[in-house]
Amino acid sequence: MSYPTRAARAVCLSLLALLCAAPVATAAGEGWSVAPTGGGRPAFYAEGAPGTALRDTVSVTNRTRHPLTLRLTGTGVPVTFADAGIRVPARTRADIPFTVTVPERAAPGDRPGTIVVRDGDGRSQTVPLRLRIGGPELSALTVEKVAVRGDHITYDLVNRGTTDLVPTLSVHVDGVFGTLLDRAPRTLPVELAPGRRLHLTEPWPDRPALDAAEVRLTVTAAGGARDTARASARFVPWGGVAAGGTLAVVTAAALAAVRRRRRPTTPGPAPERAREQAELTGAAT
């Protein structure tokens, strides 16, 4: 069995070292990065009331040996850049100011977003952006447009406040002879953002065929939000009504025919009498 010489081992070790070091040198020498200006911040943070404009700056560092053409965009929150398309020379850093505008009717709370920078080859880097909107928190909810449609109760839920809501619904229906439906409050699998409207349905597969019902829906949510809406419904078996109406019409027609056959006939006036009346009428004229 032969062993490699010291010179051969030295060559192999040198080649291995070059292979391991090459990728690191390439990444460090030819990459580019994005970060908040000033250093030490892993993300952007902005806080303000509705209607305010908040300003910050993002830095793009080009460590490559050639210039880069980059495109900047924002997601999640309204972001406007001083220059959304930039060209950064080789081994240079560019600082780009931007503005975050808080919408006039924005609800208080935290809104996540990102600053996205993309190069000409489609590669992108992002920096998180957190926007906190100030203002009073108001919990308000309404239930509207309640109606019975077939074997469902339909309704709309509207968030009239400034906070996200997870509503709870209870259903109660009274008929002529007592309670037809009574469902205890339960949490709905929906989340209502401020200003959002949802059209929902509540199944009622065993509704009566003949009755008059009063439907009452009650919704609640955290923060004291509560509302109740009512609707009336009349259930009539129209097939039976149609058959009964046809029978009634036929019976009425038969009775009318019998009455006509039984009615005595009244003889008309004699010809002479009719002529006499005409003559008298003419004399009077």
Side-chain angles (χ1 to χ4, degrees), residues 28-30 61-67 88-93:
E30 298 184 4
T61 302
N62 179 10
R63 293 188 299 272
T64 69
R65 297 182 178 85
H66 52 81
V88 184
R91 304 186 182 281
T92 304
R93 190 189 78 185

Side-chain angles (χ1 to χ4, degrees), residues 17-201:
L18 288 173
L19 291 173
C20 293
V24 177
T26 301
E30 298 184 4
W32 57 275
S33 62
V34 181
T37 301
R41 292 188 295 165
F44 293 100
Y45 179 81
E47 181 175 357
T52 58
L54 311 171
R55 294 174 177 82
D56 208 326
T57 306
V58 59
S59 295
V60 179
T61 302
N62 179 10
R63 293 188 299 272
T64 69
R65 297 182 178 85
H66 52 81
L68 287 175
T69 299
L70 303 172
R71 188 76 183 172
L72 290 83
T73 57
T75 66
V77 296
V79 180
T80 303
F81 295 93
D83 192 352
I86 61 171
R87 184 176 175 84
V88 184
R91 304 186 182 281
T92 304
R93 190 189 78 185
D95 297 334
I96 305 96
F98 64 90
T99 302
V100 177
T101 304
V102 185
E104 288 285 350
R105 302 182 62 181
D110 293 338
R111 297 290 183 269
T114 56
I115 300 296
V116 182
V117 182
R118 183 172 287 104
D119 65 15
D121 296 327
R123 293 171 297 190
S124 64
Q125 296 191 36
T126 63
V127 181
L129 190 158
R130 299 286 183 267
L131 172 63
R132 171 161 290 184
I133 303 172
E137 294 188 356
L138 173 65
S139 180
L141 179 68
T142 58
V143 54
E144 305 173 2
K145 299 182 179 180
V146 179
V148 178
R149 310 288 186 190
D151 58 355
H152 286 79
I153 301 171
T154 64
Y155 61 99
D156 284 2
L157 288 183
V158 187
N159 187 343
R160 302 291 184 182
T162 60
T163 61
D164 293 340
L165 298 177
V166 177
T168 297
L169 172 73
S170 63
V171 182
H172 187 86
V173 183
D174 286 324
V176 174
F177 300 106
T179 300
L180 299 175
L181 184 64
D182 189 20
R183 291 178 181 167
R186 76 181 194 282
T187 301
L188 298 177
V190 298
E191 183 173 350
L192 281 175
R196 186 183 181 192
R197 175 186 292 269
L198 277 181
H199 182 72
L200 302 173
T201 61

Side-chain angles (χ1 to χ4, degrees), residues 194-272:
R196 186 183 181 192
R197 175 186 292 269
L198 277 181
H199 182 72
L200 302 173
T201 61
E202 184 74 10
W204 190 9
D206 55 349
R207 69 173 183 80
L210 178 62
D211 209 334
E214 294 295 325
V215 180
R216 183 177 75 247
L217 301 186
T218 301
V219 291
T220 59
R226 180 184 179 87
D227 191 38
T228 299
R230 294 175 171 82
S232 299
R234 301 292 181 265
F235 305 115
V236 179
W238 292 109
V241 170
T246 302
L247 180 60
V249 171
V250 173
T251 303
L255 290 175
V258 171
R259 291 193 187 98
R260 284 197 298 271
R261 287 197 299 269
R262 291 180 177 177
R263 185 180 300 165
T265 57
T266 302
E272 292 295 329

